[in-house]
Amino acid sequence: MLFKEIPGLADIKRTLIQSVQTGHIHHAQLFFGNEGSANLALAWAYATYVNCEDKQPDDACGVCPSCRKIGKLAHPDLHQIFPVAATKKVTKDPLSENFLPDWRLFLAGNPYASLTDWLNYIGTENRQPQISAEESRQIIQRLSLKPYEADYKVLFMWLPEMLNITSANALLKILEEPPPKTLFLLVCQDPARLLTTIISRTQMVRVRSFTDQEISQVLIAKLRVEPQRAGQIAHLADGNLNEAIRLSNEVKNDQHELFRDWMRLCFQLEKRLTDIVKNADKLAAMPREAQKNVLQYGINMVRESLVYTYNEPQLIRLEGEEMTFVQGFAKVITPERAERLFGYFNDAILHLERNASPRIIFLDTSLQVASGIKS
């Protein structure tokens, strides 16, 4: 991955390049950006530039042995950690190294993809992903060795917020006393879930979301989308390039159907309590990340309904069936009810992350929503 392959973000690229050119390379950097941003791609390009054997003024050369190896995520001094869970192929004690061939192919296809995309790619079914304590122990062992051939050993960690408490504390120790010539690149979407002591030992690199124009250019140049449609998709994607790619491929939006049908049942609680219980069972049978995505989608739809209520159509990023649903849903979404729904959905996500029973969570949330939209 080279900086020139990432659309826009010229200011961040310039800052990262200058830090290497001036020798001000912080040993631990936290690339923070929303889902679908360039946080992962920028960290990858930065790792390439740091160890490039023929650095150019504005990018890595892309052709030296180091650039070619890091471009394939196959450099012996590039250590990669990311959330994993047991699969049919890896049934016990999964570690990142078990999934490296899949990981390389996955990122080669789309460096802006989401955690859900990754879990679907490796087939984790309904298992909760994490970065285990054993991963952290292996990190310490690997980084204690001298570099094989590069100037810097690089630890590339995607979504460190998925560290459990034991592995987070182990990472903290090595961040406090890093081996020489070691660079930690943490790619994060939710810093609030990280230990504050980890955040305090890293240099934050804030990565903004893509602009509509940047997304449109990618869709037109790389995916051959018509300019008018590219503009529409960019507006709907709201800075998320991964979502824009999904929309351009016209993948069916199952989240909308699931959320729409769920809300219709909640509106008819007295008549359809049995159906609400069955729907809770249906949602509970889905993979954990898919359950969280439905709840996050609900939060987004409540937000869009509020925007519609206040007659700000230029801020609404919906079309088709989703827009039709919002037009009806907005009739009952007052600011007070919206606040309640935000709370219900956020609490449900939190409980799912803590491994509470999905069936109880969705049934309880259904009853709360049914009460909250009528009171």
Side-chain angles (χ1 to χ4, degrees), residues 66-357:
S66 177
C67 285
R68 291 201 300 269
K69 291 176 184 178
I70 295 179
K72 297 177 181 178
L73 296 173
H75 196 291
D77 292 313
L78 178 66
H79 306 283
Q80 302 162 75
I81 301 296
F82 39 85
V84 294
T87 66
K88 293 180 179 178
K89 293 181 181 179
V90 182
T91 57
K92 185 180 180 182
D93 300 328
L95 297 171
S96 299
E97 63 181 11
N98 303 135
F99 296 91
L100 277 176
D102 290 327
W103 173 249
R104 290 166 181 147
L105 289 172
F106 175 72
L107 287 192
N110 182 8
Y112 310 101
S114 67
L115 176 61
T116 300
D117 295 331
W118 167 238
L119 298 179
N120 289 337
Y121 188 84
I122 59 175
T124 59
E125 298 179 348
N126 198 25
R127 297 175 177 89
Q128 184 80 349
Q130 66 170 352
I131 299 174
S132 67
E134 179 59 28
E135 293 271 27
S136 295
R137 284 191 285 270
Q138 291 199 9
I139 289 171
I140 295 173
Q141 292 175 359
R142 293 172 189 168
L143 296 183
S144 65
L145 303 174
K146 292 182 179 180
Y148 285 94
E149 57 187 60
D151 191 20
Y152 277 86
K153 292 172 292 182
V154 178
L155 173 66
F156 183 82
M157 182 179 290
W158 186 50
L159 302 184
E161 55 264 49
M162 305 299 290
L163 288 159
N164 62 35
I165 189 65
T166 303
S167 52
N169 283 324
L171 177 64
L172 178 61
K173 292 179 182 179
I174 197 170
L175 285 176
E176 289 175 334
E177 300 178 3
K181 289 290 186 175
T182 301
L183 181 60
F184 298 85
L185 302 180
L186 311 183
V187 180
C188 176
Q189 292 178 4
D190 188 3
R193 293 172 57 190
L194 285 173
L195 293 177
T196 54
T197 44
I198 288 180
I199 296 176
S200 67
R201 285 162 176 77
T202 61
Q203 182 180 69
M204 183 79 78
V205 180
R206 296 185 180 274
V207 182
R208 64 167 174 79
S209 298
F210 289 106
T211 65
D212 288 1
Q213 182 180 6
E214 288 166 349
I215 290 177
S216 294
Q217 290 173 348
V218 172
L219 297 180
I220 295 169
K222 296 187 175 181
L223 300 180
R224 300 291 187 264
V225 178
E226 292 294 327
Q228 182 177 359
R229 179 56 181 161
Q232 294 171 342
I233 291 174
H235 180 71
L236 296 171
D238 192 19
N240 185 331
L241 183 53
N242 186 52
E243 176 67 6
I245 293 171
R246 186 193 70 80
L247 290 171
S248 69
N249 292 327
E250 298 182 343
V251 176
K252 183 180 179 181
N253 190 350
D254 293 330
Q255 293 175 1
H256 171 66
E257 293 185 4
L258 290 167
F259 182 74
R260 179 200 63 197
D261 295 345
W262 184 17
M263 292 301 100
R264 287 175 177 174
L265 290 173
C266 290
F267 270 100
Q268 305 174 53
L269 172 65
E270 295 82 1
K271 299 179 180 179
R272 305 190 65 179
L273 183 58
T274 301
D275 291 332
I276 284 179
V277 174
K278 291 179 180 178
N279 188 66
D281 290 340
K282 176 183 176 181
L283 294 171
M286 295 166 50
R288 190 65 55 95
E289 287 301 314
Q291 294 167 355
K292 289 159 62 176
N293 286 343
V294 171
L295 292 164
Q296 184 60 54
Y297 180 82
I299 292 172
N300 295 340
M301 293 302 280
V302 173
R303 179 262 179 196
E304 297 293 340
S305 298
L306 268 182
V307 172
Y308 184 83
T309 299
Y310 284 101
N311 196 27
E312 297 290 345
Q314 73 277 11
L315 299 179
I316 297 177
R317 298 178 180 270
L318 300 173
E319 63 180 8
E321 292 183 3
E322 291 180 311
M323 186 62 188
T324 301
F325 172 78
V326 162
Q327 289 171 339
F329 199 42
K331 295 177 182 178
V332 297
I333 300 299
T334 63
E336 294 77 15
R337 288 172 177 168
E339 184 177 0
R340 292 192 204 109
L341 294 182
F342 286 144
Y344 301 152
F345 295 145
N346 277 315
D347 286 346
I349 291 173
L350 178 63
H351 294 149
L352 284 173
E353 290 175 344
R354 295 182 175 178
N355 292 320
S357 167

